[in-house]
C-alpha cells in the first residue's frame, strides 16, 4: 500500500462514489468503516489487506471523515472473522472479481514463463506483470 498520500490523492482515492455508498445502507455502524476500507483497498491494490497494519492511517481517517464516521472505528474492524469474510465476499461481488483458485496460479506461471520472463527476467517487473494479469481477469491475487 502506498505510504505517502497528498491531501488531493486522499480525497480522490479514499472516498466512495454514490453507488459504493449505497452498499453501506445495510451495514451496521460498527462495520461501515471496515467495509469501506476493504472496498477501497480492493480497488486501489487489487487485493485486501491482511490486517490493519497494511493500511496507512491517513486513508481510513480520510474515508471516515468522508462518511461522517469516527476514525477510531477502524481499530474495531473484524479482519479474519465472519464479518471480515462476508465483507470481502460483498466487495468481490461489487467489483465483479473472484478469488484465485490454484488453477489460476498454474496458468499465471505458464504465462509468465512463456510471455514475460524471456523479455524481462527482473523479479520486480514479474510481480507487476502478475498483478496486471490477475487484474485483467478480475481475479483477486
Amino acid at each position: 500500500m502506498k505510504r505517502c498520500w497528498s491531501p488531493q490523492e486522499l480525497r480522490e482515492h479514499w472516498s466512495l462514489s454514490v453507488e459504493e455508498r449505497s452498499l453501506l445502507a445495510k451495514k451496521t455502524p460498527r462495520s461501515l468503516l471496515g467495509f469501506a476500507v476493504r472496498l477501497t483497498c480492493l480497488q486501489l491494490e487489487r487485493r485486501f489487506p491482511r490486517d490493519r497494519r497494511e493500511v496507512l492511517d491517513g486513508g481510513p481517517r480520510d474515508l471516515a471523515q468522508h462518511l461522517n464516521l469516527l476514525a477510531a472505528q477502524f481499530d474495531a474492524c473484524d479482519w479474519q472473522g465472519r464479518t471480515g469474510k462476508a465483507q470481502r465476499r460483498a466487495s468481490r461481488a461489487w467489483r465483479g472479481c473472484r478469488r484465485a483458485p490454484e488453477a489460476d496460479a498454474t496458468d499465471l506461471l505458464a504465462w509468465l514463463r512463456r510471455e514475460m520472463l524471456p523479455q524481462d527476467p527482473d523479479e520486480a517487473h514479474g510481480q507487476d506483470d502478475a498483478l496486471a494479469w490477475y487484474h485483467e481477469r478480475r481475479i483477486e491475487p
Side-chain angles (χ1 to χ4, degrees):
M1 173 80 42
K2 183 175 176 173
R3 302 312 285 170
C4 296
W5 297 82
S6 71
Q8 181 180 351
E9 288 174 320
L10 284 170
R11 279 190 306 278
E12 182 181 332
H13 297 290
W14 287 91
S15 61
L16 300 178
S17 68
V18 173
E19 294 83 17
E20 291 166 332
R21 281 176 159 240
S22 70
L23 296 172
L24 302 178
K26 295 183 181 177
K27 303 294 179 214
T28 64
R30 186 168 175 243
S31 68
L32 280 172
L33 189 55
F35 179 74
V37 168
R38 282 185 181 87
L39 191 63
T40 302
C41 287
L42 183 60
Q43 180 177 320
L44 292 173
E45 293 287 310
R46 302 177 184 151
R47 68 176 185 85
F48 296 109
R50 288 182 278 291
D51 60 43
R52 76 170 313 284
R53 293 175 301 216
E54 284 191 41
V55 183
L56 179 69
D57 288 335
R61 190 173 49 245
D62 209 67
L63 191 54
Q65 184 178 10
H66 177 70
L67 297 171
N68 296 318
L69 299 170
L70 297 174
Q73 289 176 307
F74 183 61
D75 295 331
C77 291
D78 174 8
W79 290 98
Q80 303 302 325
R82 196 173 70 203
T83 300
K85 288 177 185 177
Q87 289 179 351
R88 288 190 297 274
R89 263 193 315 275
S91 296
R92 279 187 211 102
W94 173 255
R95 292 282 172 225
C97 66
R98 62 181 173 81
R99 293 184 73 178
E102 254 185 70
D104 287 328
T106 302
D107 292 346
L108 169 63
L109 287 174
W111 176 79
L112 283 170
R113 287 184 186 121
R114 183 180 66 250
E115 303 290 331
M116 305 313 294
L117 291 177
Q119 299 170 23
D120 185 2
D122 187 321
E123 181 180 339
H125 295 157
Q127 290 174 349
D128 292 341
D129 293 335
L131 286 174
W133 186 89
Y134 278 115
H135 181 69
E136 288 169 9
R137 288 158 182 79
R138 295 190 167 280
I139 302 168
E140 175 197 346

